[in-house]
Amino acid sequence: MFHIVLFQPEIPPNTGNIIRLAANTGCHLHLVKPLGFELDDKRMRRAGLDYHEFSSMQIHESWTSCQQSLAGHRFFAMTTKGSTRHDHIIYEKSDVFVFGPETRGLPEEIRAEFAANRRIRLPMMPDNRSLNLSNAVAITVFEAWRQMDFAGAD
C-alpha cells in the first residue's frame, strides 16, 4: 500500500490522527526525526497515538535514511507550493507521500529534490495558508486509495 512520510512532525494529535488513518487504510507510516514529541507509550496514549499497535510505523533518524529505506518507490511532495493538483495524478499502490512540519511545511531544499509534477497541492480557497496536516494526509490517501478501488477494504 501507500507510504506516508511525516518530515519532522510537531503536533502529537495530528500524528495520532495519521497513525489511526494509516492503520485503517493499510498505509505504512514513516516519521523523520527530530519529532516535536516523545513516542513513549504513556505520552502516546495521552496524545491519541494509541492506535500505533495497529499500524505499520517506522522512525527514521534523517531524511536521507528515509529515502534510502523507500528507494525504488515514487515520491510526491505534498505542498501548498505544488504545481500539480492531487486529483490529477494516477497513483500507484506503493507511492510515497511526503508531508512537512505543521508550522512551516517542507523546507525548500527538500521540495527542490522533487520534479514539478511530483510537487502536489490540494485545492483551497485563495489567500489561506494551508489545511490541517492530518486532514491533508487523509484527503491525499483517500484519493489515491479510491483510484485503487479501495483495495483490501471490506
Side-chain angles (χ1 to χ4, degrees), residues 5-11 14-15 18 32-37 63 78-81 98-111 129-134 136-137:
V5 174
L6 302 182
F7 178 82
Q8 300 179 355
E10 301 165 323
I11 301 173
N14 282 334
T15 301
I18 296 164
V32 179
K33 287 183 174 183
L35 309 179
F37 47 86
W63 169 237
M78 308 307 295
T79 173
T80 58
K81 296 167 179 57
V98 182
F99 295 84
E102 292 90 337
T103 61
R104 58 190 189 281
L106 282 172
E108 173 56 34
E109 63 271 12
I110 291 180
R111 279 195 321 267
R129 289 184 330 198
S130 64
L131 292 170
N132 171 275
L133 176 63
S134 61
V137 173

Side-chain angles (χ1 to χ4, degrees):
M1 194 49 146
F2 305 109
H3 297 269
I4 302 164
V5 174
L6 302 182
F7 178 82
Q8 300 179 355
E10 301 165 323
I11 301 173
N14 282 334
T15 301
N17 289 339
I18 296 164
I19 289 171
R20 190 174 206 141
L21 174 79
N24 283 293
T25 58
C27 292
H28 303 282
L29 179 60
H30 302 263
L31 304 179
V32 179
K33 287 183 174 183
L35 309 179
F37 47 86
E38 297 294 324
L39 282 176
D40 63 61
D41 282 341
K42 182 179 178 184
R43 286 187 181 103
M44 289 179 78
R45 276 194 303 281
R46 191 177 316 131
L49 304 175
D50 57 343
Y51 244 68
H52 68 283
E53 67 268 19
F54 301 112
S55 66
S56 170
M57 184 170 67
Q58 186 174 356
I59 313 282
H60 300 277
E61 294 297 321
S62 68
W63 169 237
T64 302
S65 70
C66 180
Q67 289 175 297
Q68 290 169 347
S69 78
L70 293 167
H73 297 284
R74 292 191 322 168
F75 280 70
F76 293 92
M78 308 307 295
T79 173
T80 58
K81 296 167 179 57
S83 56
T84 305
R85 262 186 25 192
H86 79 293
D87 59 335
H88 292 180
I89 303 290
I90 297 173
Y91 296 104
E92 297 174 6
K93 66 180 178 179
S94 63
D95 284 344
V96 178
F97 307 121
V98 182
F99 295 84
E102 292 90 337
T103 61
R104 58 190 189 281
L106 282 172
E108 173 56 34
E109 63 271 12
I110 291 180
R111 279 195 321 267
E113 295 177 19
F114 293 81
N117 66 343
R118 297 282 178 92
R119 288 184 223 141
I120 299 175
R121 66 178 174 78
L122 298 172
M124 297 185 338
M125 299 303 291
D127 302 321
N128 287 334
R129 289 184 330 198
S130 64
L131 292 170
N132 171 275
L133 176 63
S134 61
N135 291 336
V137 173
I139 291 165
T140 304
V141 165
F142 270 87
E143 170 57 22
W145 198 23
R146 181 197 65 78
Q147 291 183 20
M148 305 290 132
D149 198 28
F150 299 104
D154 58 4

